[in-house]
Amino acid sequence: VQLQASGGGLVQAGGSLRLSCTASGRTFSSGLMGWFRQAPGKEREFVGTISFWNGATSYANSVKGRFTISRDNAKNTAYLQMNSLNPEDTAVYSCAARNRRIITSEWNRAGVYDYWGQGTQVTVSS
């Protein structure tokens, strides 16, 4: 299984970016696809995730109302739409996938995800 993330880049504060994560080698119709980020000198943190079976989402408080995750089951792809970006959003963003259902309270734990893609850099200038 491979996860391919794309869409990072440099954007000014207040701008938007959309990240994509496509899975190949397996269909995640009953699992999760999520995003985590890690800024320099900081620990990796949960950003958000979406369930492939019912489209339910969960977000970190720091991005609620600004970021939206959607998915295209037919393409085995999830998208992270990031709006109203600020310099604190600067980080390497990585997508992760899980191929089985799990209770909602566990969705923000990196350890429950089975597969990880390479990171994509998002830089927000002030």
Side-chain angles (χ1 to χ4, degrees):
V1 175
Q2 287 190 330
L3 301 181
Q4 180 69 44
S6 61
L10 173 64
V11 65
Q12 288 188 333
S16 299
L17 281 175
R18 189 176 83 153
L19 306 184
S20 300
C21 181
T22 299
S24 60
R26 188 182 188 110
T27 299
F28 291 91
S29 58
S30 60
L32 300 172
M33 189 169 281
W35 295 90
F36 290 77
R37 68 186 182 184
Q38 188 166 19
K42 294 186 177 181
E43 293 186 353
R44 180 172 56 188
E45 65 172 347
F46 171 75
V47 175
T49 196
I50 188 166
S51 68
F52 271 87
W53 71 91
N54 65 3
T57 54
S58 176
Y59 299 95
N61 288 335
S62 58
V63 306
K64 277 182 182 177
R66 301 188 298 123
F67 291 10
T68 303
I69 297 177
S70 59
R71 96 278 195 211
D72 184 332
N73 284 34
K75 295 182 178 180
N76 231 17
T77 297
Y79 305 95
L80 177 63
Q81 177 67 44
M82 304 184 293
N83 298 328
S84 301
L85 286 161
N86 58 62
E88 289 69 40
D89 296 315
T90 294
V92 174
Y93 285 69
S94 299
C95 62
R98 173 182 172 86
N99 62 5
R100 296 153 291 154
R101 297 189 185 189
I102 194 169
I103 57 175
T104 307
S105 61
E106 295 290 297
W107 288 8
N108 62 349
R109 286 205 305 118
V112 309
Y113 292 84
D114 304 304
Y115 308 100
W116 290 81
Q118 90 290 356
T120 184
Q121 177 70 44
V122 171
T123 302
V124 185
S125 63
S126 57

Tab-separated table of all heavy atoms in Angstrom, residues 11 15 20 25-26 29 31 45 54-55 57 60-61 63 65 69 74 81 87-88 93 104 109-110 117 126:
chain	number	residue	atom	x	y	z
A	11	VAL	N	2.184	29.833	0.694
A	11	VAL	CA	1.004	30.676	0.557
A	11	VAL	C	1.078	31.795	1.586
A	11	VAL	O	1.688	31.627	2.645
A	11	VAL	CB	-0.287	29.836	0.733
A	11	VAL	CG1	-0.387	29.274	2.140
A	11	VAL	CG2	-1.520	30.623	0.362
A	15	GLY	N	-4.519	32.850	2.962
A	15	GLY	CA	-4.728	32.110	1.732
A	15	GLY	C	-5.211	30.689	1.964
A	15	GLY	O	-5.476	30.281	3.103
A	20	SER	N	-4.010	16.636	-1.326
A	20	SER	CA	-4.637	15.385	-1.746
A	20	SER	C	-3.817	14.217	-1.241
A	20	SER	O	-2.597	14.313	-1.114
A	20	SER	CB	-4.727	15.306	-3.274
A	20	SER	OG	-5.477	16.361	-3.807
A	25	GLY	N	-2.962	0.248	-4.103
A	25	GLY	CA	-2.641	-1.076	-3.614
A	25	GLY	C	-3.685	-1.664	-2.693
A	25	GLY	O	-3.625	-2.848	-2.356
A	26	ARG	N	-4.644	-0.847	-2.272
A	26	ARG	CA	-5.698	-1.329	-1.392
A	26	ARG	C	-6.846	-0.336	-1.409
A	26	ARG	O	-6.637	0.869	-1.521
A	26	ARG	CB	-5.183	-1.481	0.036
A	26	ARG	CG	-6.186	-2.148	0.938
A	26	ARG	CD	-5.731	-2.265	2.361
A	26	ARG	NE	-6.686	-3.091	3.096
A	26	ARG	CZ	-6.429	-4.297	3.538
A	26	ARG	NH1	-5.243	-4.830	3.361
A	26	ARG	NH2	-7.346	-4.984	4.191
A	29	SER	N	-12.434	1.276	1.786
A	29	SER	CA	-13.857	1.567	1.839
A	29	SER	C	-14.412	1.538	3.258
A	29	SER	O	-15.479	2.089	3.517
A	29	SER	CB	-14.627	0.569	0.971
A	29	SER	OG	-14.375	-0.756	1.415
A	31	GLY	N	-12.364	2.179	6.103
A	31	GLY	CA	-11.367	2.702	7.027
A	31	GLY	C	-11.369	4.203	7.145
A	31	GLY	O	-12.366	4.869	6.886
A	45	GLU	N	1.197	16.383	15.318
A	45	GLU	CA	-0.130	16.586	15.863
A	45	GLU	C	-1.197	16.211	14.839
A	45	GLU	O	-1.002	16.320	13.620
A	45	GLU	CB	-0.345	18.036	16.317
A	45	GLU	CG	-0.325	19.061	15.215
A	45	GLU	CD	-0.739	20.450	15.690
A	45	GLU	OE1	-1.282	20.577	16.811
A	45	GLU	OE2	-0.526	21.414	14.933
A	54	ASN	N	-18.767	6.290	6.048
A	54	ASN	CA	-19.927	7.166	6.162
A	54	ASN	C	-19.600	8.648	6.004
A	54	ASN	O	-20.477	9.494	6.113
A	54	ASN	CB	-20.653	6.946	7.494
A	54	ASN	CG	-19.806	7.332	8.685
A	54	ASN	OD1	-18.688	7.813	8.546
A	54	ASN	ND2	-20.339	7.113	9.883
A	55	GLY	N	-18.345	8.971	5.752
A	55	GLY	CA	-17.967	10.353	5.520
A	55	GLY	C	-17.868	11.207	6.768
A	55	GLY	O	-17.651	12.415	6.662
A	57	THR	N	-16.351	13.097	9.896
A	57	THR	CA	-15.050	13.744	10.034
A	57	THR	C	-14.778	14.128	11.483
A	57	THR	O	-15.688	14.244	12.298
A	57	THR	CB	-14.968	15.011	9.165
A	57	THR	OG1	-16.066	15.872	9.488
A	57	THR	CG2	-15.007	14.677	7.692
A	60	ALA	N	-8.954	18.657	14.632
A	60	ALA	CA	-8.323	19.274	15.791
A	60	ALA	C	-8.972	20.636	16.016
A	60	ALA	O	-9.396	21.307	15.075
A	60	ALA	CB	-6.826	19.438	15.546
A	61	ASN	N	-9.023	21.041	17.275
A	61	ASN	CA	-9.647	22.335	17.593
A	61	ASN	C	-8.957	23.482	16.868
A	61	ASN	O	-9.605	24.469	16.498
A	61	ASN	CB	-9.608	22.571	19.097
A	61	ASN	CG	-10.582	21.677	19.847
A	61	ASN	OD1	-11.585	21.228	19.295
A	61	ASN	ND2	-10.282	21.399	21.100
A	63	VAL	N	-7.921	23.734	13.947
A	63	VAL	CA	-8.248	23.905	12.532
A	63	VAL	C	-9.740	23.888	12.255
A	63	VAL	O	-10.161	24.122	11.112
A	63	VAL	CB	-7.563	22.817	11.667
A	63	VAL	CG1	-6.067	22.796	11.939
A	63	VAL	CG2	-8.175	21.449	11.889
A	65	GLY	N	-13.362	24.791	11.504
A	65	GLY	CA	-13.916	25.969	10.860
A	65	GLY	C	-13.053	26.526	9.750
A	65	GLY	O	-13.500	27.369	8.977
A	69	ILE	N	-12.107	18.238	5.360
A	69	ILE	CA	-11.660	17.001	4.715
A	69	ILE	C	-12.837	16.390	3.962
A	69	ILE	O	-13.956	16.327	4.470
A	69	ILE	CB	-11.128	15.989	5.752
A	69	ILE	CG1	-9.903	16.562	6.464
A	69	ILE	CG2	-10.747	14.677	5.072
A	69	ILE	CD1	-9.351	15.655	7.545
A	74	ALA	N	-14.293	6.397	-4.939
A	74	ALA	CA	-13.970	5.773	-6.221
A	74	ALA	C	-12.499	5.970	-6.586
A	74	ALA	O	-11.886	5.130	-7.243
A	74	ALA	CB	-14.859	6.348	-7.314
A	81	GLN	N	-8.858	20.567	2.470
A	81	GLN	CA	-8.988	21.954	2.041
A	81	GLN	C	-8.658	22.842	3.224
A	81	GLN	O	-9.313	22.769	4.258
A	81	GLN	CB	-10.409	22.225	1.548
A	81	GLN	CG	-10.659	23.663	1.140
A	81	GLN	CD	-9.866	24.068	-0.084
A	81	GLN	OE1	-9.790	23.327	-1.053
A	81	GLN	NE2	-9.281	25.258	-0.048
A	87	PRO	N	0.524	31.625	9.806
A	87	PRO	CA	1.890	31.087	9.927
A	87	PRO	C	2.000	29.900	10.878
A	87	PRO	O	2.886	29.058	10.704
A	87	PRO	CB	2.679	32.286	10.438
A	87	PRO	CG	1.954	33.467	9.858
A	87	PRO	CD	0.506	33.081	9.932
A	88	GLU	N	1.104	29.801	11.842
A	88	GLU	CA	1.141	28.673	12.780
A	88	GLU	C	0.758	27.361	12.104
A	88	GLU	O	0.960	26.278	12.680
A	88	GLU	CB	0.212	28.928	13.963
A	88	GLU	CG	0.683	30.009	14.936
A	88	GLU	CD	0.631	31.397	14.343
A	88	GLU	OE1	-0.358	31.694	13.616
A	88	GLU	OE2	1.553	32.200	14.583
A	93	TYR	N	2.936	18.206	6.334
A	93	TYR	CA	1.659	17.513	6.473
A	93	TYR	C	1.781	16.107	5.885
A	93	TYR	O	2.213	15.946	4.745
A	93	TYR	CB	0.559	18.284	5.753
A	93	TYR	CG	0.121	19.524	6.482
A	93	TYR	CD1	0.971	20.626	6.594
A	93	TYR	CD2	-1.132	19.606	7.082
A	93	TYR	CE1	0.575	21.761	7.280
A	93	TYR	CE2	-1.534	20.741	7.757
A	93	TYR	CZ	-0.665	21.813	7.853
A	93	TYR	OH	-1.064	22.944	8.542
A	104	THR	N	-14.711	6.373	17.372
A	104	THR	CA	-14.391	7.759	17.052
A	104	THR	C	-13.344	8.359	17.972
A	104	THR	O	-12.506	9.158	17.530
A	104	THR	CB	-15.669	8.601	17.102
A	104	THR	OG1	-16.667	7.997	16.276
A	104	THR	CG2	-15.408	10.021	16.627
A	109	ARG	N	-5.458	9.437	17.133
A	109	ARG	CA	-4.206	8.804	17.576
A	109	ARG	C	-3.412	8.297	16.381
A	109	ARG	O	-3.890	7.485	15.601
A	109	ARG	CB	-4.479	7.646	18.527
A	109	ARG	CG	-4.898	8.039	19.910
A	109	ARG	CD	-4.570	6.942	20.912
A	109	ARG	NE	-5.127	5.657	20.571
A	109	ARG	CZ	-4.394	4.570	20.319
A	109	ARG	NH1	-3.075	4.638	20.335
A	109	ARG	NH2	-4.982	3.417	20.047
A	110	ALA	N	-2.175	8.745	16.261
A	110	ALA	CA	-1.340	8.320	15.133
A	110	ALA	C	-1.159	6.805	15.117
A	110	ALA	O	-1.044	6.197	14.049
A	110	ALA	CB	0.013	9.021	15.201
A	117	GLY	N	1.907	8.190	4.305
A	117	GLY	CA	2.514	8.711	3.088
A	117	GLY	C	3.670	9.628	3.441
A	117	GLY	O	3.915	9.937	4.606
A	126	SER	N	3.804	35.399	6.624
A	126	SER	CA	3.006	36.459	7.272
A	126	SER	C	3.026	37.730	6.445
A	126	SER	O	3.780	37.881	5.498
A	126	SER	CB	3.557	36.724	8.668
A	126	SER	OG	4.917	37.078	8.603
